Amino acid sequence: MKLYLQGKNEIIKVLTNSEVSVLIIDPSFIDLSSFSEIQEIRDNFPGLKFIVLTNSLSKNELQELNSLGITNIVLKSSDRDEIFEALNASVKGKKYYSCELLEILFEINERINSGEETGQLTPSEMEIVRLISEGLTTKEIASRKFISFHTVITHRKNIFRKLGVSSVSELIMYAIKSGWINLIEYHI
Amino acid sequence: MISPLKPVRVIIADGQFLITESLKAILTDEVSFIVEAVLTGEKRNY
């Protein structure tokens, strides 16, 4: 058995030269700012089962992984039985999540079922995201859009709730990852 | 536990040495799994 230099290309090299069925991976292993590299590995090896092993995951990251079809996710704090349950599930094509992650998933589902479509912003909210990313304050946004200060506050609260973010920096990261604002246009 | 005809081949890719070692130990105890490679971010030979 050999250990390889880290990176997506090394993973692909090993996968190409072996008959591997399951990849157990910590996403931070390939220095991900998004999960696009996992998607690339998936595209190259469609039959490969993924188990994501992680210290923690935010609501957005969990949703992003689910949208990529990665539904076997285990926390590193899991015990041996959980690891095997995740492995068994992945081999059988079933889903497996650690208990803590299931709680987050239930919360997401409740919000979707209650009509709050997570991540779906109105055009006005999208415009406010853009203005926030330009560094405008709530007062400046109100002035720019000819709306009241309190209306902007309400929009901000709705945006934060829908996207599951809790700070402006998290919002901006979400917007960059989602392609709503261009990283090059965003200057700190 | 899985008991397929062919063992399931697994790659472990994680930068935390303790995690990869523990996983490898757990999986190599089971005949139904073969750890094909462990990727830890450093190049070494076992």
Side-chain angles (χ1 to χ4, degrees):
Chain A
M1 191 191 316
K2 282 186 177 179
L3 295 175
Y4 294 83
L5 292 169
Q6 90 176 45
K8 176 197 67 187
N9 293 337
E10 297 298 336
I11 294 174
I12 289 175
K13 191 160 60 176
V14 178
L15 289 170
T16 306
N17 297 315
S18 60
E19 291 177 23
V20 170
S21 309
V22 181
L23 172 61
I24 303 176
I25 185 167
D26 178 347
S28 61
F29 178 79
I30 43 180
D31 192 24
L32 297 174
S33 55
S34 74
F35 296 114
S36 58
E37 299 211 343
I38 285 189
Q39 178 66 58
E40 201 179 327
I41 297 172
R42 275 181 70 83
D43 291 344
N44 280 299
F45 304 92
L48 181 69
K49 312 285 186 188
F50 277 75
I51 295 180
V52 165
L53 188 66
T54 179
N55 285 317
S56 65
L57 272 185
S58 71
K59 204 177 291 180
N60 290 334
E61 289 168 331
L62 186 55
Q63 280 183 290
E64 202 174 336
L65 283 171
N66 275 332
S67 70
L68 292 175
I70 293 171
T71 54
N72 292 72
I73 308 173
V74 188
L75 293 178
K76 287 186 180 176
S77 53
S78 302
D79 60 21
R80 176 194 167 98
D81 289 345
E82 268 203 283
I83 303 279
F84 277 114
E85 280 184 56
L87 270 164
N88 287 335
S90 74
V91 171
K92 291 175 185 167
K94 293 183 177 174
K95 300 175 183 177
Y96 186 89
Y97 298 92
S98 287
C99 291
E100 292 89 336
L101 299 174
L102 275 177
E103 284 173 23
I104 300 175
L105 276 178
F106 287 143
E107 195 184 315
I108 293 168
N109 283 338
E110 273 175 21
R111 287 171 53 181
I112 292 170
N113 292 337
S114 67
E116 294 178 36
E117 293 182 48
T118 314
Q120 300 230 331
L121 302 186
T122 64
S124 293
E125 288 165 347
M126 287 293 280
E127 172 69 2
I128 285 172
V129 170
R130 198 179 59 74
L131 295 173
I132 290 171
S133 73
E134 285 176 12
L136 270 65
T137 63
T138 302
K139 201 173 168 184
E140 287 167 336
I141 294 171
S143 171
R144 175 84 68 92
K145 287 184 61 73
F146 304 107
I147 57 178
S148 79
F149 179 84
H150 293 291
T151 305
V152 180
I153 293 283
T154 303
H155 278 310
R156 282 179 65 122
K157 281 182 185 169
N158 290 340
I159 292 165
F160 277 44
R161 191 191 67 247
K162 285 183 180 180
L163 302 183
V165 298
S166 54
S167 67
V168 168
S169 54
E170 216 180 323
L171 170 66
I172 290 168
M173 282 308 295
Y174 189 106
I176 291 169
K177 281 183 184 178
S178 304
W180 298 343
I181 56 175
N182 191 330
L183 184 58
I184 297 165
E185 288 171 4
Y186 178 67
H187 303 286
I188 297 172
Chain B
M1 215 47 54
I2 305 167
S3 51
L5 294 175
K6 261 172 77 174
V8 175
R9 292 181 178 272
V10 177
I11 292 181
I12 303 167
D14 192 308
Q16 287 181 271
F17 185 69
L18 281 177
I19 296 287
T20 56
E21 283 303 294
S22 308
L23 268 177
K24 188 159 65 72
I26 289 173
L27 294 179
T28 45
D29 274 353
E30 291 291 328
V31 288
S32 28
F33 297 101
I34 292 175
V35 179
E36 185 73 27
V38 178
L39 293 85
T40 66
E42 284 179 56
K43 193 164 192 169
R44 305 177 218 177
N45 287 320
Y46 267 97

